Amino acid sequence: KGLSLTTGLNHYLKYYCNVSVSQQTRNVEMPAEIVPVEEPIRKETPYQIRYAYNYCTHSYTMAFWGETQWQNELDWLALNGFNAILDITGQEEVWRRFMGELGYTTDEIKDWLVGPGYTAWQSMSNMENYGGPLNDQYILDRLDLARKNQRKMRALGMEPVQQGYAGMIPSDYDQIVGDDPDYQKFVDAMMDQGSWGGQFNRPDMLKTNTEAFEEAAELFYESQEKVLGNVTSYY
């Protein structure tokens, strides 16, 4: 219902009021008087899922966005009927909790996470240990922003598309946990990914046909739900 209202409003603004709201600019000088709509107008879409973004957008464009920029962007998404929004904001805290379950200390986790401008490429399993370490306040601020954004998305009828677990695990995991038998199954399931572009070390991946992968995936999704709530059916 929310998106039906907002897309209807966008049609009225654009075609009756000569008002345009884009991602970059806003021409929002409204007419002096209400412009009447003389007859009902019905618009439909054949697309059940209207998806926005890829990972790179989050680092090329949104890496340093705050609440104001996201507010404007969510307004635009709602006006244009998007209902599935890729959202990796706040994932730093998800990984902090997940990796803590795998035996890492908080400082080791903050060293492994990449800096703000590189989040997209870590999310795609392309890099690790670059541009950090992250500080505690940055992680908390990102989490607060993610929760605010997702509350607004859901209020308007949009669902955040959250991170799925594909098996990523730090390449130094075997060194971190050593011979601890509680973690040996994860070490045994690790696969080396080598480098990305011949320059950046890539994290390892867990073999997907192992018990270790199943257990790690369960831990990841539990961590994500604890941090961000049960807010979506898309990953």
Side-chain angles (χ1 to χ4, degrees):
K1 293 181 180 179
L3 290 179
S4 295
L5 292 171
T6 55
T7 52
L9 172 62
N10 194 35
H11 183 89
Y12 176 73
L13 293 174
K14 184 183 294 186
Y15 295 105
Y16 286 81
C17 303
N18 198 31
V19 165
S20 174
V21 178
S22 75
Q23 287 173 290
Q24 288 79 34
T25 60
R26 295 187 173 207
N27 169 27
V28 291
E29 184 175 347
M30 296 291 290
E33 298 181 359
I34 294 176
V35 181
V37 179
E38 302 295 346
E39 58 185 20
I41 298 171
R42 183 178 181 86
K43 299 287 184 179
E44 296 184 3
T45 175
Y47 306 110
Q48 182 178 356
I49 306 301
R50 284 94 64 191
Y51 176 79
Y53 308 139
N54 59 29
Y55 282 111
C56 294
T57 312
H58 280 265
S59 284
Y60 282 134
T61 303
M62 304 167 174
F64 302 100
W65 275 14
E67 192 172 345
T68 299
Q69 291 96 333
W70 267 110
Q71 176 80 39
N72 291 338
E73 185 72 1
L74 292 175
D75 287 345
W76 180 83
L77 290 167
L79 287 169
N80 287 277
F82 290 94
N83 64 0
I85 317 301
L86 178 64
D87 187 7
I88 57 173
T89 312
Q91 283 292 319
E92 296 83 3
E93 176 63 11
V94 174
W95 280 91
R96 189 189 70 77
R97 296 204 185 196
F98 169 63
M99 290 174 64
E101 294 290 334
L102 294 180
Y104 280 83
T105 67
T106 298
D107 286 341
E108 288 167 343
I109 296 165
K110 290 189 293 185
D111 284 338
W112 180 77
L113 290 166
V114 299
Y118 308 96
T119 304
W121 291 277
Q122 185 159 57
S123 297
M124 292 186 284
S125 309
N126 285 335
M127 64 194 317
E128 59 180 1
N129 302 102
Y130 190 80
L134 298 181
N135 65 65
D136 294 327
Q137 191 58 52
Y138 173 79
I139 294 174
L140 291 173
D141 288 346
R142 290 278 291 177
L143 176 58
D144 181 61
L145 179 61
R147 287 171 173 169
K148 288 178 179 177
N149 287 348
Q150 291 179 9
R151 280 197 296 270
K152 180 167 185 180
M153 287 181 200
R154 297 180 72 205
L156 290 169
M158 297 185 279
E159 282 197 67
V161 178
Q162 292 189 324
Q163 182 74 5
Y165 185 70
M168 185 166 70
I169 193 168
S171 62
D172 66 356
Y173 185 65
D174 55 342
Q175 302 167 42
I176 293 294
V177 298
D179 297 326
D180 191 324
D182 291 338
Y183 303 106
Q184 193 58 45
K185 59 179 171 290
F186 299 108
V187 174
D188 293 341
M190 291 171 64
M191 295 188 300
D192 179 27
Q193 287 202 98
S195 66
W196 179 49
Q199 182 176 359
F200 299 101
N201 191 59
R202 300 183 72 188
D204 283 14
M205 300 293 282
L206 295 177
K207 297 175 184 177
T208 57
N209 61 346
T210 62
E211 178 186 342
F213 175 85
E214 296 292 336
E215 187 172 329
E218 185 175 353
L219 285 173
F220 180 84
Y221 292 118
E222 286 177 354
S223 299
Q224 187 160 244
E225 187 168 334
K226 287 178 182 176
V227 171
L228 297 169
N230 183 15
V231 296
T232 189
S233 52
Y234 299 109
Y235 297 86

